[in-house]
Amino acid sequence: MKLQGTMQINDKGHLEIGGCDTVELAENFGTPLYVLDEQYFRQNCRRYYRAFTEKYDGVVLYAAKTLLTLAVCRMVDEEGLSLDVVSGGELYTAKKARFPMERVYFHGNNKSAAELKLALDYKVGRVMVDNPHELQMLDRLAGEAGVQAKIMLRLTPGVEAHTHEYIKTGQIDSKFGMVIENGQAMEIIKRALALEHIRLTGLHCHIGSQIFELQSYAHAAEVMLGFAAEVRRETGWQPEEMNFGGGMGIYYTAADEPQSVSKFADTLAQAVKNLAPQYGLAAPKVLVEPGRSVSGPAGTTLYTVGAVKSIPGIRTYVAVDGGMGDNPRPALYQSRYEALLANRAAQQPQEMVSIAGKCCESGDMLIWDIDLPAPAPGDILAVSSTGAYNYSMSMNYNRLPRPAMVLVKDGAADIIVARETYDDLIRNDVVPERFNEGRVAKIAGAGR
Ligand code: LLP
């Protein structure tokens, strides 16, 4: 496993993150356990902030969907980033963390009236409008509230990024945004410009996720600015800001070769800077919405090894105490991860094994075919690059409680998400009162 962020192997041969011995973390907080490397997370925020604001007129939005908790919101705020939220729940979390609402951008392809009202009530910075239905609804709600809503419009530029099919969102056949090529994008812009309670500030696109080809962004810039020039000719309006979404790829395994954030900025923001005058436009502010590349590499999950089952001549299954409940990505996208035994981190791999989760699903396999030093019950398995889309996509399948999360820095570990309890699992369950009155048996038995 590649050591990332503040990871190192200490003199006991244990994996250390943020100056904390992960074997002790597992003992003190139990497993499965999400460990977030504070220094690394903040460093990733800072890299983006510097790359897009020092040389360019940029704004960096952290994509909350990758990992959002109250403490995470506070760090994002302290590092000067803005926030991209996609639901009332994410918005509420930001509000409760006292995140400055003018730096919140509200996304989503099907926001409800209640969510839009909440956004207006909180006075979010921008609503990222996806479709005409939402535009109309927002205009009405803003009118009722006596305000003008600042919006950006999400467009589908038809740029294909090289990534997994499920996480490709820039192509034309997409549930997100309005298509440029067939005229729908132009139509919604004209509508937005005509509405009294709407102020259109800019345009947005997102071309995919886990992208390594920076040229895809330069291409998106070309398509978006070319279109903006057309809009200007037809309407006289031009965007003050252009948002190019997130998508920068990260290291999961040796097959991944991430690009640096400064190269990303130099490709995208420079392309916008160069193209704007060519298209007769004033250079817009460049917005980006990185998520995975901020939170992903800063997270590690610790598990305890339980049953080890060898099928001679076939494979060895090493079962851990978590799985698709805390990390659905391998089951959903066949994602690959690296891992090591945290309590024997200095030992050489001896055996190829496969890591199984504990859900009742054959598909609940965390890692197929990984070389490890012959895992035994009680070993602590550390899986790296789990900071993004793990906790945020976690679930209670099989009624497994969700893990705790600790934030580690300089030898200190603080719980930022408490471990779910069995009581949490039944908290919202309700038994109809009539079950206690003996009526059910009668109804069920009637006429049989
Ligand atoms: N902006 C928009 C409009 C997005 O749709 C996304 C991700 C982002 C920003 C952040 O993209 P990032 O920098 O994290 O690549 N659950 C999948 C990924 C889904 C991506 C959804 N949109 C996974 O686990 O790989």
Side-chain angles (χ1 to χ4, degrees):
M1 183 178 98
K2 184 175 144 189
L3 299 183
Q4 302 189 77
T6 65
M7 281 181 182
Q8 55 180 46
I9 295 169
N10 67 18
D11 43 22
K12 289 186 190 150
H14 294 176
L15 175 68
E16 214 177 79
I17 308 174
C20 295
D21 184 317
T22 55
V23 179
E24 284 172 23
L25 290 177
E27 260 166 39
N28 295 341
F29 299 103
T31 55
L33 182 68
Y34 295 117
V35 180
L36 188 63
D37 182 339
E38 179 171 346
Q39 187 180 310
Y40 198 16
F41 182 91
R42 287 180 184 273
Q43 198 179 73
N44 292 338
C45 292
R46 256 168 243 176
R47 276 192 191 126
Y48 268 104
Y49 188 80
R50 290 203 186 117
F52 280 91
T53 63
E54 282 176 0
K55 274 206 277 184
Y56 306 101
D57 186 15
V59 179
V60 180
L61 286 55
Y62 168 69
K65 75 201 77 176
T66 61
L67 171 65
L68 193 72
T69 76
L70 295 174
V72 167
C73 265
R74 297 281 289 272
M75 292 193 285
V76 171
D77 180 20
E78 282 170 15
E79 298 305 332
L81 303 195
S82 298
L83 196 65
D84 143 19
V85 300
V86 298
S87 69
E90 289 183 357
L91 181 56
Y92 182 77
T93 307
K95 180 73 177 170
K96 286 286 164 181
R98 300 193 295 278
F99 196 94
M101 285 293 136
E102 68 277 10
R103 295 201 336 251
V104 171
Y105 294 66
F106 189 22
H107 268 284
N109 69 312
N110 189 27
K111 303 176 193 77
S112 67
E115 285 177 318
L116 288 174
K117 265 191 205 155
L118 194 66
L120 291 173
D121 185 34
Y122 286 174
K123 302 188 171 55
V124 301
R126 301 284 183 280
V127 178
M128 315 299 284
V129 172
D130 182 274
N131 55 68
H133 166 71
E134 180 187 346
L135 182 65
Q136 220 60 47
M137 184 157 57
L138 183 63
D139 180 57
R140 178 173 55 78
L141 294 170
E144 284 166 15
V147 296
Q148 198 179 39
K150 280 191 187 171
I151 71 157
M152 296 182 77
L153 286 169
R154 178 156 184 178
L155 309 182
T156 314
V159 173
E160 291 208 10
H162 297 275
T163 183
H164 193 289
E165 184 68 28
Y166 294 166
I167 47 184
K168 206 156 64 177
T169 49
Q171 80 276 36
I172 285 172
D173 183 3
S174 167
K175 74 170 186 177
F176 297 107
M178 303 301 290
V179 175
I180 291 180
E181 216 169 278
N182 66 6
Q184 287 179 314
M186 184 68 85
E187 209 173 295
I188 195 170
I189 289 172
K190 287 181 180 166
R191 268 206 216 187
L193 291 172
L195 292 173
E196 195 186 336
H197 307 290
I198 295 290
R199 184 159 104 69
L200 178 63
T201 64
L203 304 174
H204 171 280
C205 69
H206 170 77
I207 58 172
S209 200
Q210 189 60 0
I211 295 169
F212 297 109
E213 299 234 357
L214 293 181
Q215 274 317 305
S216 307
Y217 290 100
H219 186 196
E222 219 172 296
V223 174
M224 292 292 282
L225 285 163
F227 176 63
E230 235 177 90
V231 173
R232 189 174 171 206
R233 279 194 297 276
E234 276 202 32
T235 69
W237 175 87
Q238 64 170 317
E240 298 155 35
E241 48 192 13
M242 297 276 252
N243 185 330
F244 293 92
M248 282 279 282
I250 65 162
Y251 182 94
Y252 287 103
T253 70
D256 303 320
E257 288 171 23
Q259 303 283 348
S260 76
V261 171
S262 56
K263 245 186 173 174
F264 172 42
D266 288 340
T267 306
L268 174 63
Q270 195 59 50
V272 173
K273 218 171 164 175
N274 296 345
L275 288 166
Q278 290 175 28
Y279 284 113
L281 298 164
K285 258 189 196 314
V286 174
L287 279 60
V288 286
E289 297 168 335
R292 190 194 311 269
S293 49
V294 175
S295 59
T300 303
T301 309
L302 304 178
Y303 301 95
T304 302
V305 172
V308 177
K309 191 159 62 186
S310 279
I311 307 173
I314 307 280
R315 75 173 67 244
T316 297
Y317 285 92
V318 173
V320 294
D321 53 357
M324 65 190 287
D326 57 83
N327 182 2
R329 300 192 68 259
L332 267 178
Y333 318 116
Q334 294 83 47
S335 315
R336 301 277 309 168
Y337 285 88
E338 286 186 346
L340 55 66
L341 294 182
N343 53 320
R344 300 194 269 142
Q347 288 181 19
Q348 288 305 310
Q350 293 161 325
E351 199 185 342
M352 185 188 275
V353 300
S354 292
I355 311 295
K358 68 176 276 156
C359 279
C360 291
E361 288 263 342
S362 299
D364 181 18
M365 292 296 297
L366 277 181
I367 306 176
W368 290 102
D369 298 337
I370 175 171
D371 292 321
L372 287 175
D379 278 335
I380 304 297
L381 184 85
V383 178
S384 59
S385 293
T386 59
Y389 304 111
N390 273 228
Y391 171 66
S392 65
M393 291 175 74
S394 64
M395 59 180 159
N396 292 122
Y397 182 43
N398 291 169
R399 290 235 148 174
L400 296 176
R402 271 176 286 208
M405 190 179 302
V406 288
L407 186 68
V408 293
K409 183 172 190 274
D410 300 335
D414 296 291
I415 285 275
I416 57 169
V417 180
R419 184 174 299 283
E420 276 182 347
T421 64
Y422 289 149
D423 276 330
D424 290 330
L425 296 176
I426 61 165
R427 192 167 311 284
N428 296 323
D429 290 8
V430 179
V431 177
E433 194 48 47
R434 61 192 171 83
F435 280 24
N436 300 325
E437 295 164 359
R439 279 170 48 211
V440 172
K442 279 187 219 148
I443 295 164
R448 305 253 162 95

